[in-house]
Amino acid sequence: MLSLSLIVFVGFGSNISAYAYSIPGDWFLPYSRVELRNGFKGETHPDADEFVELSDSRFVHMQNPAVTSNGGITWIVKNLSYDSTRDITFILTVRSWNATTLSDFSFYPESLVLGYINHDLSTTWFTVDDVHFFHRDAFNSDQFFGYSVVFTVPADQANSFSRISLSGSGTWPPLGVSLYAYYSDDSSSSVSDLAAILAKLEDIEQSSDEIKGAIEDQYSGDPDQSFNVDDIVTQHNEKMGVLSFSSDVMMDVLGLLSPDQNLSSELVFPSMSLKIANQRQTVQLWPEYRFDLEELAGHWPFLINLMRSITTASVWLLVLRYCYKVFDKYFLAGGS
Amino acid sequence: MIINLITTLLQFVTDTIFSVVDLPVVPRGLVNAVDLMLGYMRSGMGIFNFFCPLSGISGAVDLFVAVWTVEHTYRLVMWVLQKIPLLGVK
């Protein structure tokens, strides 16, 4: 499995909502339920709704020169893993939220570009093998159409992160944009199966819309009423104040004797660095070194087990000796 | 088991008595310092656990705590009783 850096530049409106879903089976895009809001410029991480704004210069740097754009979406997906021995088919679908707005929408497949982002931020462009247009009149009472882009990813061009950028210009109605990918050993047969795939996408999008609607209904009220369990626990702990803290510390200390905890036998030798004030440089004399004592048990298991048996027996003997002294003090002649 | 019983009992007592009191928030510096100290102690216990497995001596620790607690409780009770001349305890 390798990582792929991918860019998709599409020329279309700046007023865009984009969704992506993870699909089981051969579908492998690692993000799920990622929503990019209108006019958003930023990046998102797989399996998370966290967005990080990018600088405008970086966004402009990533734009397709063929598209005159002053807005749009930059969508970055990191660690897109794929099987480099198989072809990849990308499907870009675009849907309108109502039938009246679809006629206002323009889509430019010729401006769609796929490419790698290399480690030095240079771009290696791909030649699109094929582009197919789809149109479905009825999709959840909305208009729906899409494009499929088929291309093969060479095995020797793996990168550490992936970018999917959507850019465009003008004022367009709100649109839903979804990008999907799947493995296709035979691109022609894959294209022929796109109708079934799109039908599958309908179910996924419909269920996702239902979930999204339920979430929006739940949080459509006063946002101040939203709560977090962690906040409640934190407030409780803060209310308990010093005494709760002290009891927690005591429990933590006594918990150190619990044999159920996961203790590490790793020795850490910290690094050593010197900071040169005049040159504002830091010189590292030696790096941090870690040594796990369990390696000793791997090399000399008999000796380690013997040592552990001896120490355990010694502790038990000490405790039994203490118990005998107490017993002798109070019940035998030793106490008199 | 005894340690867990003691800690649970202490927590119940402290929570019950002081839950109605609006105590101040623990300073962040103190929390960080204690966390750092607990981290060092945990690392130390990890080393100790390598040489002397806690699973093997947990029974001994429980026995020691139990005997020590009984002995000192007995001595405390006897010390109090010795202060009462009417009982004549020596």
Side-chain angles (χ1 to χ4, degrees):
Chain A
M1 301 293 286
L2 297 172
S3 296
L4 164 70
S5 293
L6 167 69
I7 299 179
V8 179
F9 285 127
V10 183
F12 58 177
S14 61
N15 195 10
I16 291 172
S17 296
Y19 297 88
Y21 309 94
S22 64
I23 306 170
D26 276 348
W27 299 74
F28 65 95
L29 278 188
Y31 39 77
S32 61
R33 288 199 59 78
V34 176
E35 179 179 357
L36 304 180
R37 302 187 183 281
N38 294 344
F40 175 80
K41 292 185 293 184
E43 65 177 314
T44 180
H45 302 282
D47 300 327
D49 291 333
E50 179 183 359
F51 300 112
V52 180
E53 286 287 346
L54 295 177
S55 63
D56 290 336
S57 59
R58 190 174 179 184
F59 177 73
V60 171
H61 173 73
M62 296 181 61
Q63 285 182 355
N64 181 8
V67 178
T68 302
S69 173
N70 54 9
I73 297 172
T74 299
W75 187 357
I76 296 180
V77 180
K78 295 182 178 178
N79 299 322
L80 177 60
S81 300
Y82 70 101
D83 185 356
S84 61
T85 62
R86 305 171 69 181
D87 295 351
I88 302 172
T89 297
F90 282 90
I91 302 177
L92 181 69
T93 62
V94 183
R95 59 176 285 200
S96 67
W97 300 119
N98 55 69
T100 58
T101 60
L102 182 61
S103 59
D104 299 329
F105 176 73
S106 296
F107 187 71
Y108 307 103
E110 63 275 9
S111 64
L112 190 146
V113 179
L114 300 168
Y116 284 129
I117 290 290
N118 301 308
H119 289 294
D120 58 355
L121 295 182
S122 62
T123 305
T124 302
W125 298 109
F126 271 94
T127 302
V128 177
D129 296 334
D130 200 357
V131 177
H132 287 260
F133 173 76
F134 302 93
H135 184 277
R136 299 175 70 86
D137 293 329
F139 169 63
N140 195 23
S141 72
D142 292 337
Q143 293 292 330
F144 176 70
F145 63 95
Y147 284 85
S148 73
V149 182
V150 182
F151 70 101
T152 304
V153 178
D156 58 345
Q157 297 193 33
N159 288 272
S160 60
F161 56 91
S162 171
R163 295 164 186 253
I164 301 169
S165 177
L166 310 173
S167 61
S169 62
T171 302
W172 303 98
L175 298 169
V177 180
S178 303
L179 185 67
Y180 307 92
Y182 70 99
Y183 291 124
S184 56
D185 295 330
D186 184 354
S187 59
S188 59
S189 62
S190 300
V191 173
S192 64
D193 294 337
L194 283 177
I197 293 171
L198 289 175
K200 186 178 179 180
L201 295 181
E202 287 185 10
D203 298 334
I204 295 172
E205 292 217 22
Q206 188 170 3
S207 60
S208 299
D209 288 343
E210 292 174 356
I211 295 173
K212 179 187 174 189
I215 294 173
E216 289 177 348
D217 293 341
Q218 183 177 357
Y219 294 101
S220 59
D222 186 2
D224 294 335
Q225 293 180 355
S226 61
F227 61 89
N228 190 331
V229 176
D230 294 335
D231 294 340
I232 295 175
V233 173
T234 303
Q235 290 174 4
H236 172 73
N237 292 335
E238 289 181 352
K239 182 181 178 182
M240 288 304 295
V242 178
L243 290 173
S244 173
F245 173 74
S246 60
S247 65
D248 291 340
V249 170
M250 185 172 57
M251 290 185 64
D252 289 339
V253 172
L254 294 177
L256 292 175
L257 297 173
S258 174
D260 300 330
Q261 58 184 329
N262 185 21
L263 294 173
S264 173
S265 59
E266 194 175 54
L267 296 175
V268 181
F269 302 94
S271 61
M272 177 65 180
S273 299
L274 288 178
K275 186 174 183 180
I276 303 174
N278 292 335
Q279 301 180 2
R280 295 181 180 177
Q281 288 181 340
T282 301
V283 179
Q284 188 180 54
L285 299 181
W286 61 79
E288 181 183 86
Y289 179 72
R290 294 174 178 268
F291 178 76
D292 194 351
L293 291 174
E294 291 296 335
E295 294 182 13
L296 296 177
H299 289 108
W300 302 286
F302 175 75
L303 289 178
I304 297 300
N305 288 331
L306 179 64
M307 176 196 65
R308 288 172 174 169
S309 301
I310 292 174
T311 54
T312 303
S314 300
V315 170
W316 271 103
L317 286 175
L318 287 173
V319 171
L320 291 176
R321 183 170 178 270
Y322 169 76
C323 293
Y324 175 77
K325 285 181 63 178
V326 172
F327 182 78
D328 180 64
K329 180 178 179 181
Y330 290 99
F331 299 103
L332 298 179
S336 59
Chain B
M1 187 178 69
I2 294 177
I3 293 175
N4 291 334
L5 182 64
I6 294 173
T7 54
T8 304
L9 183 63
L10 288 174
Q11 186 184 26
F12 173 76
V13 171
T14 54
D15 288 353
T16 303
I17 295 176
F18 297 100
S19 61
V20 296
V21 182
D22 190 13
L23 296 169
V25 178
V26 181
R28 177 54 56 186
L30 179 61
V31 174
N32 294 336
V34 171
D35 288 343
L36 182 65
M37 182 194 67
L38 286 174
Y40 288 148
M41 293 176 67
R42 192 177 303 277
S43 300
M45 286 304 297
I47 305 300
F48 179 81
N49 181 58
F50 174 78
F51 293 103
C52 185
L54 293 175
S55 57
I57 64 170
S58 60
V61 173
D62 290 344
L63 178 63
F64 170 77
V65 171
V67 172
W68 189 91
T69 304
V70 169
E71 179 196 5
H72 286 77
T73 304
Y74 172 77
R75 290 173 60 181
L76 176 64
V77 171
M78 292 303 294
W79 180 77
V80 172
L81 293 178
Q82 286 173 359
K83 297 300 180 184
I84 304 175
L86 187 62
L87 298 178
V89 178
K90 303 206 175 184

